[in-house]
Amino acid sequence: MSVLVLGGTAEARDLAGRLLDAGVPVLSSLAGRVQRPRLPAGEVRIGGFGGATGLRAHLVSAGHHAVVDATHPFAAQISAHAALGCATVGVPLLRLQRPGWSTLPGAADWHWVDGHAEAAGVAATLGARPFLTVGRQSLGDFAEALADRDALTRVVDDPGTVPTRWRVLLDRGPFALDAELEVMRQHRSDVLVTKDSGGSYTRPKLDAAAQLGIPVVVVRRPAAPHGVRTVPGVEQAVTWVRSLS
């Protein structure tokens, strides 16, 4: 039994370690979008496969018995390629995706939007000092609408050129509630902009916004590929892999 884990998340790292401890060979694949990624245990490859066709070719040559897509909830293209590539060659595929935040206390009062450009427009109506926690690759969607705002954007890697009034904070989570409160107070944030990443690792910023009475703008998750079985936790993913042997 050999398993390909499409990773880059904390859940993917946890899963790789659990499977290796159980004696299951694992190859973890990271997209390579972060300069200094946290690496899981075991064998790791960094860089894309070249779409569904490249993934299909890899599955055939490597002989993986199963694939677990444990990528970020917003890695929609990778998930779509995984679904197509696995279906083509008949390799079982499981989606490991942490639960979203839509059922959290107060979530009904957030400003839910369908994309980053819409989030930028809504944030522009809510405050002058937004706190952007949407990831480096999405900042371009906010630059025009929020160019005249004193925005704080927190990213893992240097985003390059941003509007002159913006401040960039290079940091990597998880972040504790006290730390999130301190960041928002120091910046005098008046609106939090994020996306529905889900889970507990980045939830404290939402709790901090609630304590400070700051409005929240949340980008909804993209739709998951049709027909792919999904589980919310690592334990269920381990059970699924073991059921295939």
Side-chain angles (χ1 to χ4, degrees), residues 177-196:
L177 175 58
D178 288 346
E180 296 290 56
L181 287 167
E182 182 65 18
V183 166
M184 293 185 193
R185 285 169 175 154
Q186 285 189 356
H187 179 63
R188 304 196 309 279
S189 302
D190 54 11
V191 56
L192 169 66
V193 185
T194 190
K195 52 191 181 183
D196 188 15

Side-chain angles (χ1 to χ4, degrees), residues 155-177:
V155 289
V156 175
D157 296 322
D158 187 345
T161 302
V162 297
T164 56
R165 292 183 60 171
W166 287 20
R167 176 191 165 201
V168 176
L169 175 60
L170 298 179
D171 207 348
R172 187 199 301 262
F175 304 101
L177 175 58

Side-chain angles (χ1 to χ4, degrees), residues 123 127-132 146 149-153 187 189-191 193:
R129 301 183 64 82
F131 181 24
L132 306 179
L146 301 179
R149 309 302 167 96
D150 295 313
L152 172 65
T153 177
H187 179 63
S189 302
D190 54 11
V191 56
V193 185

Side-chain angles (χ1 to χ4, degrees), residues 16 40 53 56 62 67 100 107 111 134 146 148-149 163 174 183 188 198 208 218:
T53 300
R56 181 172 63 246
V67 176
H111 300 266
V134 295
L146 301 179
D148 62 343
R149 309 302 167 96
V183 166
R188 304 196 309 279
V218 184

